[in-house]
Every structure is written in structure tokens, then in C-alpha cells.
């Protein structure tokens, strides 16, 4: 009998634990039964963080509110490929209604995890080039979204106006990012058609940025960088090397100008997120399917200048550019 009492005591402890555990789990899942929207972000750098904010704001505006009408499962892979894979599988196992990939490597991991669940691309430079859609106009499968291809030609025109005597432009990017490979190719063509010499350097991870930038800034008059996640994650390292040699950096994006680049004609990262969130909302409402929704682009780049950096480097920004900024 004593043994039996002991057993019942133990059983009730086990049951109590089971009860609390269940409560804990359901707290984590917020409200049971809400459609799950999985958002996978490659890593944290300012541009991707702002894109995520835009996505959530647009979903809210369309009535998709976390914990009320949907469950947003937000995962950040910290730049790690095995995280990207396991987080994508997590969404599929949770039977997500829709998945959003912020940056190309995240979108590629999501695409490998499901051919059925709708996937919306959040700022993927070249969806077709990254093997994500058959055709940017007619995606054809379960994937569509927003491209953040920047106006590279306008960026080089800006370099020409700010540095009329520059001859050699350094191009720095990560050879492991499909989004950067396509931009670098265009940049080289544009620069050479404008009569520049180019010096191209690549990194394979953030660990290389310091050494590769230090050597590049010794050989060029300015450095151009695409929307590259690896460089964006180590922007301060590149800027430190460039500053030491008094070389300006022209990145393809506003957030990287704010972090010490000199100037760009870039797309508003928050607006990219808003557009992504709106496309996701259209699919969640059942109004359209990725298959027949063309990839969308932001139409207008804005000139962004870091005046403090210009002063630091002793570079005078031409009056007509300053005028244009006032009027945009
Ligand atoms: N276009 C990048 C990609 O396809 C993602 C991205 C968006 C990005 N905005 C950026 C990268 C700004 C660097 C800086 O992966």
C-alpha cells in the first residue's frame, strides 16, 4: 500500500509537470490554430532589419497581426547555412501557410524545403539568376516577391560627378552570394563602358573582409560595393581600411552610406519591406497565387550622401547634386 501511495504521489507530480509543460508550449505557440507565417532572415545587418520591420508593418496594415489573426514565426539564421536549412524545415513541419525569405540565401533555403507552400521573396536581387523562379515576369511556381536590384548605372554616374579624376574603381563582394555575383558582373560592364579600370576583389566570409579591403584600397581611387550581405555585415571593417587610405566607398545601399560609405543612388529598404508584406497579404487573402504574380521592383532610387564623410575625406560634393537632394 505504501508503495502504491508513493506511486500515486509520483504520478501526480508527473501530471502536474505535464500540465505546466503544456501550458508553456501553448504560450509559445500563442493562439492555437492561427495560420503560421514563417519569416526567415539571413542575418542581422541594418538593411535586413529594416526590411523585416517593413514586412511586419505592411502585414499589420492589411489585417494580419501577430497573435491575433496570424502567428508570425520569425527566425534569424545568423548567417549560418545549417540554421537556414533547419529553420526552413521547422516552418514546413509547422505547416506554415506562407513563408517569407529575407535575402537570397534564405529564399534559396526555403525554396529547397517546399514546392507547395507559397514563398515571398524579401529583397532578392535577381530571383531568376538565383534559380528561384523560371521567369521574373511569370514566376510559374510557388515563389514570387520583391527584387532590390539597385540602379548601378546611376551609382557610377554619381561616382563620375563626385570624383571626376578617378581612374580605377575597386569592386568588392562575396563570391558565395549569387545576388552579388550578378551585380558585380553588371558593375564591371558599366564601369568599363565609362572608361574606368576596375580592380575586382572577393571575400568568402566576413573573416576575409579586413585583409582583402586593406589590400584593395591601396590599388584604387574609390571602392564600389553591391548589396552584399557579407560586406553589409562587416561594413565598419571595410570603412576602417578605406579611411586609413583616404579612399571613399560607394555602396549600393543607403544603410551602408549611413555606416560610413560616401554616397549612393539607393532604394529605400523600409519600402522594400512594405512591398514584400503587401504581396504576402495578397496571397494570404487568397486574391492571387505566386505562380501568376510578377516579381516587383521599387521604381525610384534616391541620392544619399554622407556629408560628414565627405568632409573627413576632403571631398567637395558638387552643388547640383546637393540641389537634387533637396528636391527629391
Ligand atoms: N539583395 C540582397 C540579397 O539578395 C539582400 C539585401 C537587401 C541586402 N538589402 C540589402 C544586402 C542591403 C546588403 C545590403 O541577398
Amino acid at each position: 500500500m505504501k508503495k502504491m501511495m508513493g506511486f500515486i504521489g509520483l504520478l501526480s507530480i508527473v501530471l502536474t509537470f505535464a500540465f505546466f509543460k503544456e501550458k508553456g508550449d501553448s504560450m509559445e505557440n500563442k493562439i492555437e490554430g492561427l495560420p503560421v507565417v514563417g519569416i526567415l532572415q539571413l542575418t542581422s545587418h541594418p538593411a535586413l532589419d529594416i526590411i523585416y520591420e517593413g514586412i511586419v508593418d505592411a502585414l499589420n496594415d492589411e489585417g494580419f497581426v501577430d497573435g491575433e489573426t496570424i502567428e508570425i514565426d520569425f527566425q534569424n539564421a545568423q548567417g549560418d547555412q545549417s540554421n537556414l536549412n533547419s529553420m526552413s524545415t521547422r516552418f514546413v513541419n509547422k505547416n506554415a501557410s506562407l513563408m517569407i525569405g529575407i535575402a537570397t540565401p534564405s529564399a534559396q533555403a526555403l525554396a529547397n524545403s517546399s514546392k507547395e507552400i507559397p514563398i515571398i521573396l524579401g529583397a532578392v536581387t535577381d530571383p531568376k539568376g538565383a534559380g528561384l523562379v523560371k521567369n521574373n515576369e511569370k514566376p510559374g511556381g510557388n515563389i514570387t516577391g520583391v527584387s532590390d536590384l539597385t540602379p548601378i548605372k546611376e551609382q557610377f554616374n554619381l561616382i563620375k560627378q563626385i570624383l571626376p579624376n578617378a581612374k580605377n574603381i575597386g569592386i568588392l563582394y562575396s563570391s558565395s552570394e549569387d545576388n552579388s555575383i550578378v551585380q558585380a558582373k553588371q558593375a564591371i560592364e558599366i564601369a568599363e563602358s565609362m572608361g574606368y579600370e576596375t580592380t575586382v576583389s572577393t571575400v568568402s566570409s566576413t573573416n576575409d573582409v579586413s585583409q582583402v579591403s586593406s589590400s584593395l584600397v591601396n590599388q584604387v581611387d574609390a571602392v564600389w560595393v553591391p548589396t552584399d550581405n557579407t560586406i553589409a555585415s562587416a561594413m565598419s571593417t571595410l570603412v576602417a581600411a578605406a579611411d586609413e587610405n583616404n579612399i571613399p566607398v560607394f555602396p549600393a545601399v543607403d544603410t551602408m552610406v549611413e555606416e560610413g560609405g560616401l554616397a549612393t543612388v539607393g532604394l529605400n529598404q523600409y519600402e522594400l519591406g512594405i512591398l514584400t508584406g503587401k504581396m504576402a497579404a495578397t496571397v494570404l487573402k487568397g486574391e492571387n497565387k505566386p505562380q501568376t504574380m510578377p516579381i516587383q521592383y521599387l521604381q525610384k532610387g534616391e541620392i544619399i550622401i554622407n556629408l560628414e564623410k565627405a568632409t573627413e575625406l576632403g571631398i567637395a560634393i558638387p552643388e547640383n547634386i546637393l540641389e537634387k537632394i533637396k528636391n527629391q
Side-chain angles (χ1 to χ4, degrees):
M1 188 61 185
K2 218 172 165 194
K3 222 175 173 183
M4 183 73 173
M5 287 294 282
F7 175 71
I8 289 172
L10 189 67
L11 189 68
S12 68
I13 292 174
V14 171
L15 284 175
T16 314
F17 264 109
F19 175 73
F20 277 115
K21 179 153 187 317
E22 176 146 339
K23 229 181 155 187
D25 280 354
S26 68
M27 290 287 280
E28 194 190 305
N29 280 333
K30 303 193 181 100
I31 300 170
E32 290 287 337
L34 289 178
V36 172
V37 172
I39 306 184
L40 183 57
Q41 182 173 321
L42 172 65
T43 187
S44 278
H45 61 67
L48 300 190
D49 294 345
I50 297 171
I51 291 168
Y52 173 68
E53 276 175 34
I55 292 173
V56 174
D57 287 352
L59 284 172
N60 281 344
D61 272 0
E62 300 284 338
F64 296 103
V65 180
D66 185 32
E68 288 178 24
T69 49
I70 53 169
E71 177 199 331
I72 294 182
D73 186 353
F74 174 57
Q75 300 288 319
N76 184 324
Q78 312 293 351
D80 183 300
Q81 187 62 48
S82 69
N83 286 345
L84 286 174
N85 298 340
S86 62
M87 289 165 176
S88 301
T89 308
R90 169 194 165 99
F91 294 156
V92 174
N93 289 343
K94 282 178 92 169
N95 209 2
S97 302
L98 181 134
M99 306 193 283
I100 301 177
I102 305 179
T104 300
S106 328
Q108 287 169 324
L110 291 178
N112 284 335
S113 75
S114 174
K115 301 277 172 272
E116 275 107 47
I117 300 174
I119 296 173
I120 305 294
L121 309 173
V124 166
T125 304
D126 180 6
K128 181 166 185 289
L132 291 162
V133 297
K134 284 198 203 88
N135 180 312
N136 287 343
E137 269 304 301
K138 293 197 187 89
N142 60 326
I143 306 177
T144 189
V146 175
S147 162
D148 68 330
L149 187 61
T150 63
I152 300 176
K153 175 85 184 152
E154 289 176 45
Q155 290 161 10
F156 276 84
N157 285 337
L158 188 67
I159 298 179
K160 186 132 232 161
Q161 289 176 66
I162 297 179
L163 302 176
N165 299 322
K167 294 200 168 51
N168 194 320
I169 311 290
I171 293 177
L172 176 66
Y173 68 99
S174 161
S175 53
S176 62
E177 292 188 34
D178 286 334
N179 44 298
S180 305
I181 295 170
V182 58
Q183 294 175 77
K185 196 166 159 247
Q186 286 187 24
I188 294 166
E189 272 170 27
I190 290 168
E192 290 181 351
S193 76
M194 289 170 73
Y196 287 120
E197 281 167 37
T198 54
T199 303
V200 180
S201 291
T202 60
V203 297
S204 53
S205 79
T206 48
N207 297 334
D208 303 343
V209 175
S210 172
Q211 205 197 341
V212 174
S213 327
S214 298
S215 129
L216 179 65
V217 293
N218 269 312
Q219 308 166 52
V220 297
D221 302 311
V223 175
W224 176 87
V225 195
T227 54
D228 179 293
N229 296 290
T230 310
I231 308 291
S233 303
M235 186 60 187
S236 58
T237 310
L238 164 62
V239 168
D243 280 351
E244 218 165 278
N245 285 262
N246 233 34
I247 295 295
V249 178
F250 291 87
V253 64
D254 52 358
T255 46
M256 289 162 92
V257 171
E258 281 151 27
E259 287 183 285
L262 178 63
T264 193
V265 185
L267 305 178
N268 184 305
Q269 303 296 301
Y270 181 73
E271 292 299 331
L272 289 169
I274 294 282
L275 201 52
T276 307
K278 281 190 180 152
M279 287 184 88
T282 304
V283 174
L284 284 169
K285 286 180 194 162
E287 290 171 0
N288 208 339
K289 290 202 164 68
Q291 216 175 342
T292 49
M293 295 164 76
I295 298 294
Q296 292 196 24
Y297 301 84
L298 270 192
Q299 294 309 330
K300 211 178 152 312
E302 282 183 356
I303 303 178
I304 319 281
I305 310 265
N306 183 338
L307 291 173
E308 222 171 279
K309 183 59 71 181
T311 311
E312 233 178 272
L313 295 169
I315 293 173
I317 304 295
E319 269 309 314
N320 66 327
I321 294 180
L322 296 174
E323 273 305 308
K324 267 194 207 154
I325 295 176
K326 275 190 218 144
N327 297 328
Q328 52 185 17

